[in-house]
């Protein structure tokens, strides 16, 4: 197998890694915006609300990529399920925030942070080997 073909089949995992980092960083940004709002900068509440939409979109992209890694590269299925759960958590979080139910909003935020951290760690620790295509010789000298 030539190097370019191997590289071509690893793109889903590379994109998943990048997206996982973006989700984690955006989750940290959300916490920072919330903290600054609580300390008195009321304008940051609008930024916090707007950034929730960004986090939601990133979580959806991460879920799609996790499904691609699972199905195309034959990686484990739990990251796709965890990413889908992250999408659900972010949706619940947005609803709780808009309803100003902080008793639920803060714990769900911590769950989002934990899930994003676990998925980012897995994305970099996992060693997914691209699936062998049908009819391809493996380990046989030609």
């Amino acid at each position: 197998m030539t190097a370019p073909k191997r590289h071509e089949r690893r793109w889903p995992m590379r994109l998943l890694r990048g997206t996982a980092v973006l989700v984690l960083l955006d989750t940290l940004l959300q916490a920072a915006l919330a903290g600054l709002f609580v300390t008195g900068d009321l304008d940051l509440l609008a930024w916090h609300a707007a950034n929730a939409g960004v986090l939601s979109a990133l979580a959806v992209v991460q879920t799609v990529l996790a499904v691609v890694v699972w199905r195309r590269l034959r990686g484990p299925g739990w990251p796709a399920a965890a990413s889908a759960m992250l999408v659900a958590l972010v949706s619940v979080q947005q609803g709780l925030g808009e309803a100003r139910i902080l008793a639920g909003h803060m714990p769900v935020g911590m769950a989002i942070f934990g899930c994003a951290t676990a998925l980012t760690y897995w994305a970099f620790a996992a060693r997914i080997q691209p699936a062998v295509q049908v009819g391809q010789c493996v380990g046989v000298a030609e």
Side-chain angles (χ1 to χ4, degrees):
M1 177 185 315
T2 62
K5 286 185 181 181
R6 182 177 297 160
H7 174 72
E8 288 173 11
R9 292 198 314 230
R10 292 186 185 193
W11 67 264
M13 195 63 196
R14 290 180 184 191
L15 284 177
L16 179 60
R17 286 178 179 139
T19 304
V21 167
L22 290 176
V23 167
L24 183 58
L25 290 175
D26 199 40
T27 301
L28 290 170
L29 177 60
Q30 277 297 82
L33 290 171
L36 291 171
F37 162 70
V38 170
T39 61
D41 193 343
L42 303 180
D43 293 333
L44 290 179
L45 182 60
W47 284 88
H48 182 70
N51 193 52
V54 173
L55 182 57
S56 181
L58 285 170
V60 169
V61 170
Q62 178 175 301
T63 302
V64 170
L65 290 167
V67 169
V68 170
V69 166
W70 170 40
R71 302 300 294 162
R72 188 168 182 177
L73 299 183
R74 297 188 180 159
W78 75 262
S83 294
M85 181 184 293
L86 185 62
V87 171
L89 284 171
V90 170
S91 295
V92 167
Q93 178 76 332
Q94 284 178 294
L96 290 170
E98 289 171 6
R100 304 291 191 260
I101 303 173
L102 297 181
H105 188 71
M106 289 181 183
V108 173
M110 295 304 296
I112 290 170
F113 179 73
C115 190
T117 301
L119 286 165
T120 303
Y121 173 80
W122 172 82
F124 282 91
R127 296 293 171 240
I128 305 296
Q129 296 298 322
V132 176
Q133 294 179 352
V134 176
Q136 181 179 3
C137 294
V138 178
V140 177
E142 294 181 15

